[in-house]
Amino acid sequence: MASVQLRLRGVSKSLNGRARQPLEQQFQSLRLTTPIVDGRRCLSTEADQTERPSSITAAPEVDLRQLAKRYKIAQNARPLPVSRSYFTRTPIFNDRYLALDHLAKTYSNLPVIPAADADRVSWKTLADLRQSFGEPVKATDYVKCLTIIKRLHTIHPELKPDAVTAALQDFKRDVQAFLNVANPIPIDKFGRALGVGKRKSSTARAFVVEGDGQVLVNGKTLADYFGRIHDRESAVWALHSTNRIDKYNVWARVEGGGTTGQAEALTLAIAKALLAHEPALKPALRRAGCVTRDPRRVERKKHGRVKARKGPTWVKR
Amino acid sequence: MSAPNCLRCLVRPSAGIPSSTAPRTAAHAAARTAAPLAPLAPLAPLVPRSAPFSTTAANARPKKEAQGKDSSKGHVRAGKRLTLGKFKKDRVAEKGRPPAPGERKAYRKRITLSNDNAIAVPWLTDLSPTDLADPANIAKVLALPDEVQDQLRASEAFKPTQCWGMFRKPAVLVRKETVDVMSRMQASVAKRQTLRLALTGDKVSGKSMTLLQAMTHAFLNNWIVIHLPEAQELTTACTEYAPVPGTEPAQYMQPVYVLKLIQAIKRANEKVLAKTYTVSAHPELPQNIPANTPLLALANVAKEPDAAWPVFQALWSELTAQGANRPPILFSLDGLAHVMKVSDYRSPAFELIHAHDLALIRLFADALGGGVQFPAGGAVLAATSRSNAPRAPSMELALAQREAEQAARQKGDVSKDGSKAGVPQRDPFFRGYDDRVEAVLRSVQVLRLGGIDKLEARALMEYWAASGMLRATVDEKTVSEKWTLAGNGVLGEMERATLLTARV
């Protein structure tokens, strides 16, 4: 059987041939060298791996009869798995869980930082975990495991042991969205910050400089460009909601879409450029709804329908 | 004569024929007239009926129910038909009296100058004759005196689109451009010259209002004001016209309009005209006017459209008589583009008449072009319009040229014989230019009106707030917000953003 080492009760260490391995090494036989092999468990129970080259090789067969000739006691020997979770349904997960548990106990005295200050990491979701381990992990176990993970993650980064870092690695998602940091918007030598905003099919670029509240959109004043008062208000909403309307001048180019889309694209553009000047305004702007891009677009038309959802007129025949 | 009761069916003749029995009763009646002795028809069972009349109008209306049902039913073979809104049929919308012809327009065009529900502003003071030309009054709101209100109303200076009806009393904001125009007017009168100025600028930036302020200034200083409130009334072929006899090429007078204008002039300038006397006799008028008659009497001669144009000519010649004791004159017109193009009138040869061939407009164009000397000086003002303006490429070009020249002159780069750097030129590939228009506008001054500055905006908003029309604290934040929303302080847009956007 794979990953089973023969250990003889009462036989000395030398009999077993090797010194006691550290846990990691013991797990080596259970570990997949490439952690996720497209969700497929590729442990083989075959001793000879000639036909199929696999990363996992089974331990050589132990011939107890031969052994018993030399050591009588060997006739009572029985194989024991290295991993305690060998007989569970989810050995990969359980091994990691146990290891994490052990680490959490071992390093429980290390100082922790507030969770908010720790690096933001996107951990694998339950579905991801099941997919990558190829095991039917239980949700409750996942939650418990995640609690430990988060506890370990808050250990002070300068004191965090490498073992912890390595153990957590398996639970991180492959794509870390939090590592994507937007490039900071520079303020050029003229004091301008360029923000770009989009809404529906409009795109706006707004140059924001310190000034006294003048706004030019495509070379026209706000009143010239937007006939509706509502649109004008939307366009300068970022400045208005933060009481900065008389502190900055805006020079903007907008293209695409209709008036509403253009006005709301400007909201976003001005908000971003304003954030370059005053990053501390971010919470205020978020409350005013100026930070998040509205991802909605025109819904596509479907066949058999007049528009996206409108059904054709009912006709009797 | 019929008996009070129909003897056969016992129905009183005053009662209508019940619909269910109608055919039979009709046959009855025929039978009754033809053969009085026909045998008795079987009597229809008499159902209890309601009274044949009612004091309620709705009930007294004859019921069309039965007929409607019949018609909707159609022929028996037609089958069942879809009847839509069968419950709505019975209900007849009670319509009141429809508005009389012209009533709707009168309602739309009415001018309300005061609002008793608005709060009176305690610190509001009336304009005095020198106020509008005083730079100390910049960014102040001042009220129009009652007398001037009447005069302005007589000369149709107020427009229905302006927000007079929101406040207790008409008041105007004195802005930098106001003081600029008024001081130019004063300066030209002091030198006995004529200021010729065209006001231009963005939509709702206050061109007509500046014109109104100029007229106010003129009225307060005892000028004579002749105002053509809507140039389009003269050129869109909506008023009568006739050739002026003895003119070659023909000019056209607009007698009805001119009569109205004379009456407006008379009402607006009554006091001044009464104190101004003719210098020469006018025997050609329907009523003989000897010399040394008040001009008011001369204006009074125009009672019918027939005599209107000769009277106006006489009045004009008296007003511009050189060497006589005359008050300064303000001649103003709103909607310049309409008079700077070919009009919609046709000559007897069915050719379009140029607006400058209409006698009254020619008078104005002459004055604007510098062809008329007012004896005591004065001003000829013209305001362009941006919302109601036909394309007048020559006018636009000429105004742009004058503006560029002024800017160059102000900057101080005096280029000899106009090397015209930066002055816009005619587009060589465009044919729509008009030499007559450009000749008129060759030497006018141009004043471009833009947004007001924040100080003025604040004064205005404080006035609005004091009148109870703006229910917000007027602080720097509100002022700059509205100022920005109004496209950098365009006055009409500020009104739209603040007063005309209901946020309750």
Side-chain angles (χ1 to χ4, degrees):
Chain A
M1 290 190 99
S3 69
V4 177
Q5 278 186 342
L6 188 77
R7 185 166 306 157
L8 299 177
R9 276 220 182 131
V11 179
S12 66
K13 263 184 199 169
S14 58
L15 174 70
N16 284 324
R18 265 170 286 178
R20 187 180 173 78
Q21 293 168 317
L23 192 63
E24 280 299 300
Q25 250 176 323
Q26 286 179 21
F27 286 168
Q28 204 61 48
S29 57
L30 273 179
R31 164 166 286 179
L32 307 178
T33 44
T34 48
I36 302 153
V37 188
D38 49 66
R40 169 168 61 88
R41 298 178 73 181
C42 56
L43 293 171
S44 170
T45 52
E46 295 299 317
D48 53 338
Q49 299 287 325
T50 47
E51 313 96 341
R52 211 164 54 134
S54 168
S55 54
I56 298 169
T57 49
E61 197 180 345
V62 180
D63 191 353
L64 288 179
R65 275 187 213 149
Q66 288 296 322
L67 210 59
K69 282 177 190 167
R70 289 174 62 192
Y71 307 102
K72 195 163 185 212
I73 200 169
Q75 61 193 351
N76 296 326
R78 62 184 177 88
L80 266 184
V82 175
S83 163
R84 283 201 281 164
S85 55
Y86 181 74
F87 292 107
T88 63
R89 271 174 91 204
T90 54
I92 303 179
F93 171 71
N94 273 347
D95 281 342
R96 281 156 182 71
Y97 185 13
L98 290 173
L100 285 174
D101 202 24
H102 177 68
L103 285 172
K105 277 177 190 142
T106 315
Y107 297 120
S108 61
N109 291 331
L110 287 182
V112 291
I113 53 175
D117 293 349
D119 293 341
R120 296 191 73 186
V121 172
S122 35
W123 304 109
K124 278 177 181 163
T125 60
L126 181 57
D128 284 347
L129 208 67
R130 284 173 177 162
Q131 169 80 18
S132 63
F133 291 169
E135 290 174 352
V137 181
K138 282 167 99 177
T140 44
D141 292 344
Y142 167 73
V143 171
K144 284 178 201 158
C145 185
L146 206 60
T147 317
I148 298 170
I149 288 169
K150 286 181 177 167
R151 169 68 177 72
L152 286 173
H153 185 62
T154 53
I155 293 175
H156 196 287
E158 285 183 8
L159 302 174
K160 195 187 276 182
D162 291 342
V164 172
T165 316
L168 292 182
Q169 190 59 41
D170 280 342
F171 289 89
K172 289 182 178 176
R173 277 199 222 166
D174 294 339
V175 178
Q176 287 292 322
F178 295 113
L179 294 179
N180 293 340
V181 183
N183 290 333
I185 297 174
I187 295 178
D188 66 11
K189 60 179 176 179
F190 305 110
R192 304 175 302 190
L194 168 62
V196 179
K198 293 182 180 185
R199 167 87 170 94
K200 290 185 175 181
S201 46
S202 308
T203 312
R205 283 174 290 152
F207 290 87
V208 173
V209 289
E210 289 184 17
D212 60 347
Q214 296 178 46
V215 180
L216 280 183
V217 183
N218 287 358
K220 294 179 179 176
T221 59
L222 204 55
D224 269 353
Y225 197 77
F226 293 115
R228 280 178 75 206
I229 306 270
H230 183 95
D231 287 341
R232 294 179 206 163
E233 281 179 352
S234 311
V236 292
W237 185 246
L239 295 170
H240 175 74
S241 58
T242 49
N243 283 351
R244 295 294 190 277
I245 207 159
D246 53 343
K247 306 283 193 294
Y248 292 95
N249 286 353
V250 177
W251 188 93
R253 288 208 82 89
V254 202
E255 50 195 33
T259 45
T260 310
Q262 293 196 335
E264 290 177 13
L266 265 176
T267 314
L268 194 57
I270 293 176
K272 282 187 188 169
L274 181 60
L275 280 179
H277 285 282
E278 298 182 56
L281 288 179
K282 189 153 188 176
L285 285 172
R286 190 177 287 289
R287 267 179 269 127
C290 298
V291 174
T292 312
R293 196 253 204 246
D294 189 344
R296 291 174 297 173
R297 301 293 304 259
V298 175
E299 190 175 339
R300 66 151 289 186
K301 185 195 174 302
K302 282 88 177 178
H303 60 262
R305 299 215 164 259
V306 180
K307 303 198 292 182
R309 300 191 183 181
K310 184 185 180 186
T313 319
W314 181 81
V315 188
K316 196 173 181 189
R317 261 175 291 278
Chain B
M1 290 301 287
S2 61
N5 283 352
C6 170
L7 291 171
R8 287 166 206 272
C9 54
L10 303 176
V11 173
R12 291 174 72 88
S14 59
I17 300 160
S19 59
S20 57
T21 59
R24 210 180 298 152
T25 340
H28 246 186
R32 194 174 53 190
T33 47
L37 293 178
L40 272 175
L43 279 176
L46 280 180
V47 286
R49 307 178 69 254
S50 56
F53 67 93
S54 171
T55 49
T56 315
N59 293 345
R61 196 182 297 126
K63 292 244 166 68
K64 287 176 185 168
E65 200 179 323
Q67 292 168 12
K69 242 178 214 168
D70 278 347
S71 66
S72 71
K73 214 177 191 180
H75 194 266
V76 70
R77 281 199 300 258
K80 195 176 175 187
R81 273 190 212 158
L82 180 68
T83 46
L84 292 170
K86 57 186 169 184
F87 299 113
K88 285 181 192 165
K89 275 271 170 59
D90 292 342
R91 208 182 307 143
V92 178
E94 284 291 330
K95 285 177 187 163
R97 180 186 60 89
E103 197 175 315
R104 282 202 183 107
K105 183 170 183 183
Y107 182 74
R108 205 174 54 205
K109 299 281 180 195
R110 83 204 184 286
I111 286 160
T112 318
L113 288 188
S114 70
N115 175 8
D116 287 345
N117 292 325
I119 303 168
V121 183
W123 39 262
L124 194 63
T125 51
D126 276 1
L127 278 165
S128 71
T130 51
D131 270 350
L132 280 173
D134 185 1
N137 283 330
I138 289 179
K140 271 188 191 166
V141 178
L142 297 168
L144 301 174
D146 291 339
E147 195 186 349
V148 175
Q149 280 176 38
D150 293 341
Q151 289 173 311
L152 289 172
R153 200 194 261 277
S155 45
E156 295 183 46
F158 300 109
K159 299 204 160 195
T161 47
Q162 297 164 347
C163 296
W164 303 106
M166 287 186 171
F167 304 99
R168 177 63 76 99
K169 197 169 183 211
V172 291
L173 170 74
V174 184
R175 47 194 282 196
K176 278 202 288 293
E177 289 85 348
T178 310
V179 172
D180 184 15
V181 174
M182 303 313 145
S183 41
R184 284 196 216 182
M185 281 166 67
Q186 273 194 335
S188 64
V189 166
K191 288 185 277 180
R192 295 190 167 255
Q193 284 174 347
T194 309
L195 167 75
R196 294 173 291 119
L197 180 72
L199 298 166
T200 182
D202 289 335
K203 241 184 195 178
V204 287
S205 58
K207 303 178 286 292
S208 298
M209 193 60 83
T210 310
L211 216 51
L212 181 139
Q213 286 171 336
M215 291 165 71
T216 309
H217 180 74
F219 282 128
L220 286 169
N221 290 288
N222 294 325
W223 292 29
I224 285 180
V225 178
I226 303 173
H227 181 56
L228 308 176
E230 276 289 347
Q232 69 162 341
E233 287 174 5
L234 284 165
T235 57
T236 51
C238 57
T239 178
E240 285 168 31
Y241 72 120
V244 180
T247 47
E248 186 58 39
Q251 291 178 27
Y252 298 84
M253 57 186 173
Q254 290 154 306
V256 176
Y257 187 91
V258 170
L259 178 64
K260 210 183 78 185
L261 179 65
I262 292 174
Q263 285 166 352
I265 294 170
K266 205 173 65 189
R267 253 178 293 140
N269 306 292
E270 207 157 5
K271 266 195 212 155
V272 190
L273 286 178
K275 281 186 282 180
T276 317
Y277 298 95
T278 54
V279 287
S280 55
H282 294 277
E284 77 282 4
L285 298 181
Q287 191 183 330
N288 189 20
I289 299 289
N292 218 15
T293 317
L295 288 185
L296 193 61
L298 175 61
N300 270 330
V301 172
K303 298 239 185 317
E304 307 246 331
D306 292 344
W309 179 246
V311 169
F312 187 79
Q313 268 186 317
L315 192 61
W316 183 252
S317 64
E318 285 296 339
L319 285 175
T320 54
Q322 295 301 319
N325 183 22
R326 294 282 176 255
I329 296 169
L330 171 67
F331 195 6
S332 56
L333 172 137
D334 205 344
L336 185 64
H338 278 285
V339 299
M340 292 297 168
K341 61 168 194 124
V342 176
S343 79
D344 293 344
Y345 287 106
R346 300 266 181 181
S347 67
F350 205 66
E351 280 155 353
L352 286 168
I353 299 171
H354 194 281
H356 291 183
D357 284 336
L358 300 169
L360 182 59
I361 294 177
R362 171 175 287 234
L363 210 67
F364 179 81
D366 260 8
L368 188 63
V372 179
Q373 274 298 321
F374 295 140
V380 182
L381 299 186
T384 59
S385 165
R386 287 295 295 273
S387 50
N388 171 22
R391 282 273 290 143
S394 280
M395 184 197 80
E396 284 158 24
L397 176 71
L399 292 185
Q401 284 174 338
R402 296 302 91 72
E403 221 181 334
E405 286 162 10
Q406 283 173 21
R409 219 172 298 136
Q410 268 192 350
K411 250 197 284 175
D413 56 347
V414 185
S415 47
K416 290 286 162 74
D417 59 69
S419 60
K420 311 243 168 147
V423 175
Q425 298 299 315
R426 274 189 175 191
D427 175 6
F429 301 105
F430 180 66
R431 279 194 303 184
Y433 293 114
D434 190 341
D435 289 330
R436 297 175 76 174
V437 169
E438 283 179 33
V440 165
L441 295 175
R442 189 140 296 149
S443 58
V444 292
Q445 302 175 27
V446 177
L447 180 69
R448 178 168 288 277
L449 292 171
I452 53 178
D453 63 21
K454 289 200 176 158
L455 198 66
E456 293 164 345
R458 183 167 194 140
L460 192 64
M461 289 179 71
E462 274 169 1
Y463 170 68
W464 289 343
S467 299
M469 291 310 300
L470 173 64
R471 298 171 67 189
T473 28
V474 179
D475 51 5
E476 203 165 334
K477 183 187 160 230
T478 354
V479 172
S480 53
E481 182 212 332
K482 299 296 177 197
W483 188 84
T484 303
L485 287 185
N488 304 351
V490 174
L491 222 158
E493 294 289 353
M494 283 195 66
E495 281 187 350
R496 269 187 70 196
T498 316
L499 301 181
L500 306 179
T501 319
R503 287 257 172 83
V504 188

